[in-house]
Amino acid sequence: MTQTRPASDHIDAMLHEDRVVAPSADFQARARMGREDYDRRYRQSLDDPDTFWSEVAGQLHWFAPWQEVLDWQPPHAQWFVGGQTNIAYNALDRNVARGLGAKTAIIWEGEDGEVRRFTYAELLAEVKRAANALTALGVEKGDRVTLYLPLVPEAAIAMLACARIGAVHSVVFGGFSVSALADRLNDAQSKLLITADAGQRRGALVSLKANADEAAALAPSLEKMLVVCRADCEAPMQAGRDVWWHDALAAAGAEHEAAPLDSEHPLFVLYTSGSTGKPKGVQHTTGGYMVGTYLTTQTVFDLQDDDVYWCTADVGWITGHSYSVYGPLLNGATVLMYEGAPNHPDWGRFWQLVARHRVTILYTAPTAIRSFMRQGDDFPARADLSSLRLLGSVGEPINPEAWMWYWRVIGSERCPVVDTWWQTETGSIMLTTLPGAHPSKPGSAGLPMFGVEPAIMTRSGEELGADDGGLLVLKRPWPSMLRTVYGDDERYRKAYWGEIEGVYFAGDGARRDADGYYTVMGRVDDVLNVSGHRLGTMEIESALVAHPSVAEAAVVGRPDDVKGECVVAFVLPQGGYTVDPKELRAHVSKEIGALARPDAIYIADALPKTRSGKIMRRFLRQIAAGRSIEGDTSTLEDPSVLERLAATPSV
Ligand code: WTA
């Protein structure tokens, strides 16, 4: 381990890779897990996984015990084989039974300042009613239910109600468009859509119901729509199809027994971008996901009984599934949920929330941290942030400068910062430091979590040593691993276990230092990471060419100070049309969602292609970043295209 430096010389050392920030003695003394505990348990998790995982899973409730911890038939894994459990039962009934009924489970704050609270007993009562309401609407075990909701407590209640009856939820982020929603409804063949009349965003109402109606018209499998009243309950309702959430719950019975489900029963599908044009439905199952999120939330966030835990992610993303809902509730934690924008009414909103609800653990994304950093230190300085004791980061690489700001200004050099690397597919955190056990190195995610065996490899599967950059792979399955791509097992085999023989390929580039810390550099495939959200370049390209004025399109990422990466589009106009950039941006928003809107558009007369017709995105990335062209251009059919493009202003 490198020498720990004192905390004070951080600024000048900011960009040095050898910077190390150790947790304070005070934090270490109270932490759940120290260095020796980690070393011992990590070793056990690899050498004797059956004992390790049995111990963890045994802390949760099973209706029937498992016969085998892992059945691994590459690339298919089954965990806790033969066991029966229910994740909603474990998150609610179990916690009420162990005396947490009166403890606050969810504190929710709306953008308009409204606050709602649910104790564990109250949340359980709501989820029981919602489960009965789903059954009354004809939803059965194994049916898919799509959620298209703002971040309101009903989102968590609906997820837990699905889980309680064994229905498979598919949450679609409320910022996604009609066509994105319709695609996901159709792929999952959902029977029921749960939405809201509207959501609040920067003081305005966003009509989700109107989008839901349009998408429903394109989704033949859909039978019913359940509508949460978040605004004024005035949305038009289609007779025979639409039911208000509050009416359905009022009519539903209060008693409900959670269904005992097979450990491998599907829990949810969550769509994410890959390197093809079509988002994939990442499928997770019950037992392994439950055990993975339970253990990681407890250890990575060092959960203590009196914590107020806030993960700022929307439930539309995996972080919202694992660390706003399932992981913390399984642990009986008090969770804060905030509905709105971080800058409403101003950039101090997050810090006011921390102060008002005495938040102790804050888990957010580097893009948010960089936005706050830009607004200066005054906003956080105006709020009392003394309740905070631990900070977390997720979603993209955090640059050391943003890390230091987070640690210094938000955490007052008192709160450890955990940088957590994982993916929709991994279900739970894979690489991080444990706050009481390990020093952090700004910019580096850290060490493997229990049961995780990472390596750095070349494309041909050759393992690389310390400090060599390569591809990040995981060498064995872990409980919360995706089981397949919904409806497309072939894609699962190819994309994850077929790229490099015998290992899980994450799609990221990374390196490991001499202390075993992993630094994740970013995607090596055609996936962009914009504000911590995955976007496939091919998805955006298909959206662009769907517009009549575009004949051909190529999309690349450009480094961005706040978003990490932003979308740059190169488009070739269709003969007889002129490209209107404003209209094209609106079109992409309509096809995918506002987050996919190109920041810059180059209207080109040709794209750099090889003689075989392949677009050389490498050169487009250089042009988009305003860099000079580097690399061998001789394979291009017409190298002069590059000069013309470089001289074209973007719009
Ligand atoms: C990136 C989000 C560096 C990475 C949980 C990964 C990160 C993708 C980190 C998954 C991190 C996530 N450091 N990169 N701490 N966390 N990533 O599926 O490229 O939305 O492959 O899951 O985000 O994004 P996803």
Side-chain angles (χ1 to χ4, degrees):
M1 182 78 14
T2 21
Q3 191 61 42
T4 303
R5 289 169 180 230
S8 48
D9 66 356
H10 55 265
I11 295 297
D12 50 351
M14 206 150 68
L15 296 169
H16 293 228
E17 287 175 8
D18 59 349
R19 248 210 73 71
V20 172
V21 180
S24 66
D26 197 34
F27 191 99
Q28 284 184 56
R30 270 182 287 172
R32 293 182 81 104
M33 208 174 266
R35 178 84 209 199
E36 277 99 66
D37 304 324
Y38 167 83
D39 287 346
R40 184 176 46 79
R41 295 195 68 198
Y42 179 67
R43 272 269 54 93
Q44 186 195 31
S45 74
L46 295 193
D47 296 345
D48 184 8
D50 284 12
T51 305
F52 179 87
W53 290 115
S54 293
E55 249 171 51
V56 180
Q59 293 167 29
L60 295 160
H61 178 82
W62 296 77
F63 297 104
W66 59 89
Q67 273 94 52
E68 203 185 345
V69 170
L70 168 66
D71 176 8
W72 178 223
Q73 316 270 345
H76 293 115
Q78 295 190 58
W79 284 88
F80 310 108
V81 186
Q84 290 198 343
T85 186
N86 186 297
I87 193 170
Y89 181 95
N90 272 292
L92 302 173
D93 309 59
R94 183 181 136 267
N95 283 325
V96 171
R98 65 186 183 112
L100 300 182
K103 181 174 177 179
T104 303
I106 295 179
I107 308 169
W108 173 84
E109 184 166 317
E111 200 184 62
D112 53 7
E114 181 191 351
V115 174
R116 293 166 68 193
R117 285 169 200 277
F118 296 82
T119 62
Y120 271 88
E122 287 163 348
L123 191 61
L124 173 58
E126 287 290 304
V127 170
K128 283 183 172 179
R129 279 190 188 278
N132 283 324
L134 293 181
T135 305
L137 285 166
V139 178
E140 290 171 13
K141 179 174 158 183
D143 285 346
R144 275 78 56 215
V145 173
T146 297
L147 275 61
Y148 185 62
L149 286 166
L151 193 51
V152 288
E154 285 76 8
I157 294 168
M159 288 163 76
L160 290 159
C162 287
R164 202 169 170 87
I165 64 171
V168 182
H169 59 70
S170 162
V171 185
V172 178
F173 174 56
F176 275 133
S177 68
V178 171
S179 16
L181 174 59
D183 286 349
R184 287 157 177 76
L185 284 166
N186 286 325
D187 189 82
Q189 290 289 295
S190 287
K191 228 180 183 176
L192 172 73
L193 174 61
I194 307 182
T195 187
D197 54 352
Q200 298 217 354
R201 197 73 186 170
R202 292 197 184 85
L205 287 180
V206 186
S207 176
L208 291 170
K209 177 66 164 63
N211 284 359
D213 283 337
E214 274 189 62
L218 304 168
S221 64
L222 206 65
E223 293 170 12
K224 299 275 180 196
M225 210 187 279
L226 199 48
V227 188
V228 174
C229 173
R230 166 67 191 117
D232 50 16
C233 312
E234 300 231 309
M237 301 288 275
Q238 184 178 308
R241 187 195 66 183
D242 302 352
V243 185
W244 287 108
W245 169 275
H246 53 265
D247 290 339
L249 262 69
E255 289 312 316
H256 187 272
E257 297 287 325
L261 300 171
D262 191 90
S263 176
E264 285 299 326
H265 184 73
L267 173 64
F268 66 85
V269 171
L270 182 60
Y271 288 84
T272 190
S273 297
S275 35
T276 76
K278 195 172 168 283
K280 45 195 172 189
V282 168
Q283 186 175 306
H284 284 284
T285 58
T286 303
Y289 176 84
M290 173 175 83
V291 171
T293 53
Y294 166 75
L295 176 68
T296 49
T297 313
Q298 185 178 87
T299 51
V300 178
F301 300 109
D302 182 47
L303 272 188
Q304 311 277 348
D305 290 344
D306 53 355
D307 274 318
V308 177
Y309 166 97
W310 183 23
C311 163
T312 66
D314 189 277
V315 289
W317 314 110
I318 191 67
T319 308
H321 282 60
S322 302
Y323 298 108
S324 300
V325 178
Y326 288 117
L329 294 180
L330 283 166
N331 280 285
T334 296
V335 176
L336 175 67
M337 275 171 93
Y338 166 59
E339 174 189 36
N343 59 348
H344 189 83
D346 62 36
W347 284 101
R349 185 60 184 267
F350 268 30
W351 319 124
Q352 296 304 331
L353 277 150
V354 168
R356 187 169 320 129
H357 302 291
R358 305 298 295 158
V359 171
T360 58
I361 302 171
L362 174 66
Y363 188 34
T364 194
T367 185
I369 298 166
R370 289 190 298 263
S371 306
F372 292 130
M373 202 171 134
R374 274 197 154 182
Q375 306 303 319
D377 299 1
D378 283 357
F379 285 111
R382 270 182 240 140
D384 173 8
L385 303 181
S386 62
S387 56
L388 288 171
R389 65 179 199 90
L390 176 61
L391 304 173
S393 172
V394 59
E396 50 174 317
I398 180 164
N399 48 312
E401 201 189 347
W403 196 104
M404 292 308 306
W405 187 85
Y406 197 29
W407 183 70
R408 182 174 54 84
V409 178
I410 304 306
S412 298
E413 305 192 359
R414 178 188 76 241
C415 309
V417 176
V418 290
D419 176 7
T420 62
W421 175 86
W422 59 293
Q423 310 179 294
T424 305
E425 294 87 343
T426 69
S428 65
I429 294 166
M430 298 282 106
L431 298 173
T432 185
T433 46
L434 291 187
H438 307 122
S440 311
K441 302 187 184 189
S444 168
L447 299 160
M449 272 309 290
F450 305 111
V452 176
E453 194 185 357
I456 304 294
M457 285 188 171
T458 62
R459 285 238 171 233
S460 53
E462 185 199 340
E463 209 166 322
L464 299 172
D467 290 328
D468 286 333
L471 305 175
L472 178 59
V473 306
L474 304 173
K475 291 169 79 174
R476 57 165 90 195
W478 59 99
S480 65
M481 174 177 95
L482 84 160
R483 299 299 193 260
T484 189
V485 171
Y486 188 79
D488 194 352
D489 197 56
E490 199 42 39
R491 191 166 176 197
Y492 166 73
R493 286 171 181 275
K494 279 204 189 122
Y496 301 108
W497 295 90
E499 285 275 334
I500 304 175
E501 180 68 33
V503 297
Y504 171 91
F505 171 56
D508 281 310
R511 77 187 133 70
R512 182 183 55 231
D513 69 15
D515 297 325
Y517 279 53
Y518 287 82
T519 297
V520 179
M521 271 107 63
R523 305 288 307 192
V524 294
D525 52 10
D526 291 327
V527 173
L528 307 182
N529 191 327
V530 177
S531 302
H533 301 312
R534 274 162 73 169
L535 287 172
T537 51
M538 285 194 31
E539 274 169 74
I540 310 174
E541 287 164 6
S542 344
L544 288 165
V545 295
H547 191 270
S549 69
V550 177
E552 222 181 318
V555 166
V556 297
R558 177 176 77 193
D560 183 275
D561 283 351
V562 173
K563 297 180 182 178
E565 203 167 20
C566 69
V567 177
V568 176
F570 292 81
V571 298
L572 225 61
Q574 186 70 261
Y577 284 87
T578 36
V579 171
D580 175 354
K582 208 171 140 215
E583 194 186 310
L584 206 54
R585 287 191 170 95
H587 169 78
V588 173
S589 289
K590 195 163 164 284
E591 290 286 310
I592 303 176
L595 51 104
R597 197 160 39 199
D599 276 70
I601 299 176
Y602 288 81
I603 301 170
D605 61 15
L607 295 173
K609 287 187 184 169
T610 59
R611 284 183 192 88
S612 57
K614 195 171 166 287
I615 297 174
M616 300 285 281
R617 286 197 172 66
R618 182 154 50 94
F619 296 125
L620 294 179
R621 276 193 284 271
Q622 294 170 359
I623 292 171
R627 298 202 308 265
S628 46
I629 304 290
E630 274 170 35
D632 180 10
T633 58
S634 66
T635 54
L636 288 178
E637 163 136 57
D638 173 11
S640 76
V641 170
L642 294 178
E643 283 154 46
R644 290 206 302 284
L645 272 179
T648 308
S650 67
V651 286

